[in-house]
Amino acid sequence: MTKQPKNIDEYVTDAASIEALKKARDECIDTCFSRVETQRTQCKFGKEGVCCRICYMGPCRITPKAPHGVCGADAATIVARNYLREVVGGTSAHADHGRHLVLRLKHIAAGKGGGFEIKDEEALRYTARLYSIAEAGRSKEEIARELADLFLKDFTAQEEKLKTTALAPLNRQSTWENQKVMPYGIDRMVVESMHRTHMGVDHDYRSLLLQAFRTALADGWGGSRIATMVSDILFGSPQPVRSDANLGVLEEKNVNIVVHGHEPELSEMLAAASCAPDIIECARAAGAEGITLAGICCTANEILMRHGIPVAGNFLQQELAVVTGAIEMMVIDVQCCMPSLPEVAKAYHTEIVSTSEIAKTIGAVHFTLDEDNAFESAKQLIKRAIDNFKKRDPGKVGIPSAKKPLIAGFSVAAIKYMLGGRFRASFRPLNDAIMQNRIFGVAGIVGCSNPRSKVDDYTNTLTGQLIKNNVLVLKTGCAAIASAKKGVLTPEAALEKAGPGLREVCEAIGIPPVLHMGSCVDNSRILEAGTEVVLEGGLGDDLSHIPAVGVAPEWMSEKAVAIGSYFVASGIDVVLGHPFHIGGSQAVSDFMSEEIKELFGASFYVCENPQSAFETIMEILDKRREKLGINKKMERKLMDMKDRRKLDV
Ligand code: NFS
Ligand code: SF4
């Protein structure tokens, strides 16, 4: 039994999490919030990136008295190698997710789709045209086969550049060529990076860091972009959709099933199966009123975007959801699923079911989807959850009531349509609004939550400040869910919380001031939106010119490291809420904050609180506006103490 958190509201911010964490404390359940207390003393060497355990002459750690490892590697080499390996971890996670989807597309094209099909033929044909694949007069299977093969080549290409990079603005592609970071196939980038970081290979920190950006580009413009495009083809391109978010979406009288992780395939099937009349009948026969399917993390974002399935919570609510005692089954797949879940679930009747062949968890029951009969197989899983309903202990149930309405589903196609209408879908109105300074700029706020800081607090405080100052906010991942729980993903929020210029634009179009663009792989949608802005004209001819910035306030995963890196390599400045593990090398730190400006026209900024992040972001946007010559001076004043006190919006 670890130390339980004392003042709950120092850990979590939303009412539902506060209530659930109190319940966990009262019932002596360990969660990440109690475990983080036992992990307060962090290893300084790990934190600064100067611990090397790449070979067995080590582990070595760098100090002023021991400036070299046994092999002679210095701090810069060790820090850069560790950083590159983090980027590889993140890139691999996104790419492997993308690969599964491409293989699914290929199988469907070959008539072996099981219960899966191509739901969005228009997206398929549109995507084929992007790659100059002939589509007119051809069946969707034929097109899908050619497209899937092309995507698979983006994984396996040895000496050809990644085809998907051709979707970036031309100037950006030239930058990548000139800086020699144009990626080859994704798999090669990953393997080569692991080779280069092996003992005794690449020792020049600049060379290692450039490889990190090159690998990250194979994520953003490769694995992630492909995952998003294929998800849209298979499951439908998102359109604005209403739903609710937070633990209050769970229903006491229903069988509650929560899907958690990242891959949309099984959860898509569960979404369909949970509405089948025979399944609902089955739930009623077991004494429930119906079935509630809800999501956590990015699996939640995937089915929210396409079906309006409610969101139970973001990353740090996964254990709290189980603590409600009202979940019959939590279905997990890959990434961001805590190994502690079965342990938490022991105190309740909740069954944790793992579903990916590459992701098993001790204490979870493993379920393999019968791909040839996917729909029936999904129904079987739901029936199993229904059986668990009878085991629920009503005395242990405590579902917090808090939830907020939201609108999600802002794919680039949807935004274009909303801006311009069906017959003249275009980004023109957005570009105009930016040029006329009704919108000051655009911020893509992405990433996780992290128990080392108060959950969602930084993200939501910063978001509030930005929209109040006419910055349009684009969101994905757990940061988007944080906004959902705060209630700012609604058009009404624009009326109450946005500055006058942004409000006017949101009102005219009918959009929220914060646009939910999907899961973390859908950060590729933010790159796509940025590219649309460039192509539309008037705001420069590269991503490094447009008044846009990326922000990862409460990030924790290697995926976030890769995402931050591909944003910067794409020319978009990135503000981080806490630093990478690179502080142990001045040379690497200088490279990451200064030298890369020369290479990519963007760099990293670390801002440890929302106020400094806000000021930094406004400054970055201001400079970009200035360079574009669209800076009709605004009467923006620096904050005085009174404004600062009002910060808690
Ligand atoms: Ni992104 Fe999504 Fe959330 Fe972070 Fe994890 S769920 S992929 S990594 S924690 S935002
Ligand atoms: Fe030590 Fe060098 Fe081996 Fe790293 S690679 S553990 S620095 S000897």
Side-chain angles (χ1 to χ4, degrees), residues 129-202:
R129 288 197 296 275
L130 290 179
Y131 292 93
S132 310
I133 292 176
E135 52 91 15
R138 296 177 81 193
S139 75
K140 56 181 181 178
E141 287 74 20
E142 276 176 274
I143 304 167
R145 192 173 315 124
E146 197 175 334
L147 187 62
D149 285 340
L150 181 143
F151 283 150
L152 285 177
K153 280 215 192 92
D154 261 358
F155 286 88
T156 57
Q158 301 301 317
E159 294 183 310
E160 302 124 78
K161 64 183 186 192
L162 205 73
K163 291 217 167 39
T164 305
T165 54
L167 304 183
L170 286 175
N171 282 326
R172 196 42 36 183
Q173 294 178 46
S174 317
T175 302
W176 296 334
E177 295 282 5
N178 295 340
Q179 302 304 340
K180 303 197 169 41
V181 294
M182 183 60 97
Y184 293 152
I186 301 159
D187 294 353
R188 172 165 177 183
M189 290 299 93
V190 166
V191 172
E192 186 180 311
S193 298
M194 291 306 282
H195 176 195
R196 286 167 73 161
T197 52
H198 185 276
M199 188 269 148
V201 186
D202 199 354

Side-chain angles (χ1 to χ4, degrees), residues 37-69:
E37 289 310 324
T38 64
Q39 293 290 347
R40 277 290 173 215
T41 325
Q42 286 181 285
C43 168
K44 182 170 147 289
F45 303 97
K47 207 169 172 179
E48 300 201 331
V50 288
C51 167
C52 183
R53 33 189 294 282
I54 275 170
C55 90
Y56 277 69
M57 294 189 282
C60 302
R61 43 193 219 181
I62 301 303
T63 66
K65 283 196 182 139
H68 296 100

Side-chain angles (χ1 to χ4, degrees), residues 73-381:
D74 64 5
T77 302
I78 293 174
V79 166
R81 265 195 313 222
N82 287 338
Y83 179 77
L84 172 52
R85 285 201 167 190
E86 288 179 8
V87 169
V88 166
T91 299
S92 305
H94 287 145
D96 209 33
H97 169 166
R99 183 207 321 273
H100 279 128
L101 292 162
V102 175
L103 289 173
R104 173 74 65 200
L105 182 67
K106 192 173 161 77
H107 295 155
I108 293 173
K112 292 184 286 190
F116 295 94
E117 58 185 354
I118 292 166
K119 287 232 179 85
D120 195 338
E121 190 173 334
E122 211 179 310
L124 171 74
R125 290 183 185 275
Y126 173 77
T127 311
R129 288 197 296 275
L130 290 179
Y131 292 93
S132 310
I133 292 176
E135 52 91 15
R138 296 177 81 193
S139 75
K140 56 181 181 178
E141 287 74 20
E142 276 176 274
I143 304 167
R145 192 173 315 124
E146 197 175 334
L147 187 62
D149 285 340
L150 181 143
F151 283 150
L152 285 177
K153 280 215 192 92
D154 261 358
F155 286 88
T156 57
Q158 301 301 317
E159 294 183 310
E160 302 124 78
K161 64 183 186 192
L162 205 73
K163 291 217 167 39
T164 305
T165 54
L167 304 183
L170 286 175
N171 282 326
R172 196 42 36 183
Q173 294 178 46
S174 317
T175 302
W176 296 334
E177 295 282 5
N178 295 340
Q179 302 304 340
K180 303 197 169 41
V181 294
M182 183 60 97
Y184 293 152
I186 301 159
D187 294 353
R188 172 165 177 183
M189 290 299 93
V190 166
V191 172
E192 186 180 311
S193 298
M194 291 306 282
H195 176 195
R196 286 167 73 161
T197 52
H198 185 276
M199 188 269 148
V201 186
D202 199 354
H203 298 131
D204 176 338
Y205 70 92
R206 284 195 181 87
S207 162
L208 287 159
L209 294 172
L210 282 174
Q211 175 68 4
F213 287 104
R214 186 173 178 220
T215 306
L217 286 171
D219 175 353
W221 295 90
S224 286
R225 186 77 190 264
I226 291 171
T228 300
M229 290 189 287
V230 178
S231 297
D232 286 355
I233 291 168
L234 294 180
F235 310 121
S237 304
Q239 293 294 330
V241 62
R242 275 182 194 283
S243 193
D244 294 293
N246 217 340
L247 295 171
V249 304
L250 302 171
E251 298 267 0
E252 189 159 352
K253 292 183 175 148
N254 284 1
V255 172
N256 291 302
I257 302 172
V258 171
V259 286
H260 170 26
H262 285 78
E263 288 186 348
E265 295 181 296
L266 173 61
S267 51
E268 279 282 328
M269 276 298 156
L270 289 171
S274 65
C275 310
D278 58 323
I279 286 292
I280 293 177
E281 200 36 58
C282 193
R284 293 206 177 117
E289 284 186 0
I291 295 174
T292 297
L293 182 70
I296 292 210
C297 283
C298 284
T299 294
N301 288 323
E302 298 278 356
I303 52 176
L304 164 71
M305 294 283 283
R306 299 193 176 87
H307 306 287
I309 302 276
V311 178
N314 51 1
F315 178 55
L316 294 180
Q317 287 176 292
Q318 56 186 289
E319 294 171 304
L320 299 180
V322 177
V323 170
T324 63
I327 294 180
E328 276 51 59
M329 183 179 281
M330 184 179 275
V331 181
I332 57 176
D333 50 69
V334 291
Q335 303 168 24
C336 305
C337 302
M338 291 189 186
S340 61
L341 286 169
E343 194 56 37
V344 178
K346 267 190 198 159
Y348 310 95
H349 71 304
T350 309
E351 196 167 29
I352 308 292
V353 178
S354 59
T355 55
S356 165
E357 293 311 309
I358 63 161
K360 310 253 168 98
T361 296
I362 300 226
V365 179
H366 194 74
F367 169 83
T368 307
L369 183 76
D370 174 358
E371 307 222 331
D372 295 330
N373 293 297
F375 187 66
E376 283 309 313
S377 183
K379 275 183 171 176
Q380 289 311 320
L381 191 57

Side-chain angles (χ1 to χ4, degrees), residues 627-638:
K627 275 200 193 144
L628 289 167
I630 54 169
N631 229 1
K632 295 173 207 105
K633 278 289 165 224
M634 299 207 315
E635 60 286 14
R636 187 166 65 81
K637 59 175 170 101
L638 282 175

Side-chain angles (χ1 to χ4, degrees), residues 362-520:
I362 300 226
V365 179
H366 194 74
F367 169 83
T368 307
L369 183 76
D370 174 358
E371 307 222 331
D372 295 330
N373 293 297
F375 187 66
E376 283 309 313
S377 183
K379 275 183 171 176
Q380 289 311 320
L381 191 57
I382 298 183
K383 280 190 187 149
R384 191 177 165 128
I386 294 173
D387 285 342
N388 287 342
F389 183 73
K390 293 168 209 151
K391 298 184 208 147
R392 192 194 278 185
D393 176 354
K396 283 190 176 172
V397 173
I399 305 176
S401 59
K403 64 174 174 187
K404 285 273 161 64
L406 67 101
I407 294 187
F410 292 95
S411 58
V412 171
I415 296 175
K416 234 176 165 177
Y417 170 70
M418 295 210 70
L419 286 169
R422 186 170 169 79
F423 297 106
R424 50 183 176 88
S426 139
F427 265 60
R428 192 71 250 157
L430 176 66
N431 282 33
D432 286 344
I434 295 173
M435 289 163 77
Q436 296 152 0
N437 204 4
R438 279 181 294 156
I439 292 179
F440 188 65
V442 180
I445 306 186
V446 308
C448 329
S449 36
N450 187 325
R452 294 199 182 274
S453 62
K454 193 168 163 181
V455 177
D456 299 340
D457 191 45
Y458 188 138
T459 301
N460 283 335
T461 308
L462 175 62
T463 305
Q465 273 296 97
L466 289 173
I467 60 176
K468 198 163 125 195
N469 287 275
N470 302 310
V471 175
L472 175 67
V473 176
L474 309 179
K475 286 217 168 177
T476 58
C478 290
I481 300 176
S483 281
K485 291 189 281 171
K486 186 80 182 172
V488 296
L489 297 189
T490 60
E492 296 74 37
L495 303 180
E496 295 156 20
K497 298 189 168 116
L502 177 62
R503 180 168 63 221
E504 195 186 308
V505 175
C506 291
E507 253 188 309
I509 307 169
I511 53 169
V514 180
L515 302 181
H516 190 330
M517 296 187 75
S519 63
C520 266

